[in-house]
Amino acid sequence: MKYFNFLFVALLSGFLISCGTNDKNTTTTTNNNNNTTNTTTNNQTTQTPKSTTGQIAAVSSVQPSTGKNVAPNFTWTADGKSASLNDLKGNVVFVNLWATWCGPCKAEMPDLSEISQELNGKNFKMLGVSVFEQEDGAVQSFLQKNPVSYQILTGNDDLVSAFSKAINKDINAIPMTLIIDKDGNIVEAIEGKRSKEEFLKMINKYLV
């Protein structure tokens, strides 16, 4: 009986950290500076979002990564203007892969909104990219009730595959956060939910 109680607690803890399409709940941080990978787990509480989101845009094209830990370029159209990840070079870019059905994804979004607002104007950009969605219109419906302060994109399997190849790891659990430095290199790949303080600590290393 003690074994089954322990197993239940372990499985519940993993679910609170990340949602896996293949039931994988490990949490990985990859640092491009020394090509090392550290595996950790964490769980924190967040607050209710207070700000509003801009237009939801769909990823329209994806280009493969040109090398290890080089972020793949992808494009979208927002407010009638075409934009791409490459356009954001010179900024630290925070790409958060999430889904409306993922509890840990939704739980960290208020913190992400606060980070986006606090770092506004400091060579920092945040993109929330919904992936693995199960229903059409789910993102629009969710954001109407839970607005955020950063740009939301609807992604596709090509984008997930391109990021997976760039970090040499299959992305099959979310939230998955990729921090991209000012030169377009993926310097952090964080699988699982993190607190605002943990994210800021990682981001600030690359803002200097």
Side-chain angles (χ1 to χ4, degrees):
M1 181 62 70
K2 290 182 178 179
Y3 172 78
F4 288 107
N5 288 340
F6 174 80
L7 182 61
F8 174 76
V9 172
L11 290 173
L12 179 60
S13 297
F15 177 75
L16 292 173
I17 295 167
S18 65
C19 300
T21 57
N22 290 320
D23 296 324
K24 292 185 179 179
N25 294 317
T26 57
T27 304
T28 302
T29 301
T30 301
N31 190 317
N32 190 48
N33 292 335
N34 54 18
N35 293 322
T36 61
T37 300
N38 301 312
T39 301
T40 58
T41 59
N42 205 351
N43 183 29
Q44 300 287 340
T45 57
T46 53
Q47 302 174 358
T48 303
K50 300 177 181 179
S51 51
T52 57
T53 185
Q55 175 186 353
I56 300 173
V59 171
S60 54
S61 66
V62 179
Q63 298 173 6
S65 171
T66 58
K68 182 180 179 181
N69 291 326
V70 177
N73 188 40
F74 57 94
T75 62
W76 66 92
T77 300
D79 298 322
K81 298 179 180 179
S82 178
S84 73
L85 185 64
N86 280 352
D87 293 339
L88 301 181
K89 282 189 177 180
N91 298 280
V92 173
V93 184
F94 185 102
V95 178
N96 179 254
L97 306 182
W98 69 287
T100 58
W101 49 265
C102 171
C105 300
K106 294 184 288 186
E108 71 180 2
M109 291 176 82
D111 279 348
L112 301 189
S113 280
E114 291 184 8
I115 293 170
S116 177
Q117 291 174 314
E118 290 176 14
L119 297 182
N120 184 36
K122 297 183 179 180
N123 294 320
F124 175 81
K125 301 294 181 182
M126 181 178 289
L127 300 172
V129 185
S130 80
V131 295
F132 308 134
E133 287 296 345
Q134 299 168 345
E135 297 181 12
D136 293 338
V139 176
Q140 180 69 48
S141 178
F142 173 80
L143 291 174
Q144 287 175 348
K145 299 176 182 178
N146 305 276
V148 296
S149 64
Y150 49 95
Q151 176 69 59
I152 294 292
L153 307 176
T154 55
N156 52 39
D157 291 343
D158 289 342
L159 182 61
V160 174
S161 177
F163 271 118
S164 294
K165 290 179 181 178
I167 64 174
N168 195 31
K169 180 184 186 300
D170 288 340
I171 297 175
N172 45 31
I174 50 176
M176 182 73 177
T177 300
L178 303 140
I179 299 177
I180 302 166
D181 69 12
K182 296 178 181 180
D183 296 319
N185 299 307
I186 301 171
V187 288
E188 304 283 351
I190 308 113
E191 184 181 297
K193 179 175 173 287
R194 290 293 189 274
S195 70
K196 176 182 175 181
E197 291 73 21
E198 288 173 301
F199 276 138
L200 282 172
K201 184 177 181 179
M202 286 182 272
I203 294 166
N204 284 328
K205 290 190 297 183
Y206 307 104
L207 281 176
V208 295

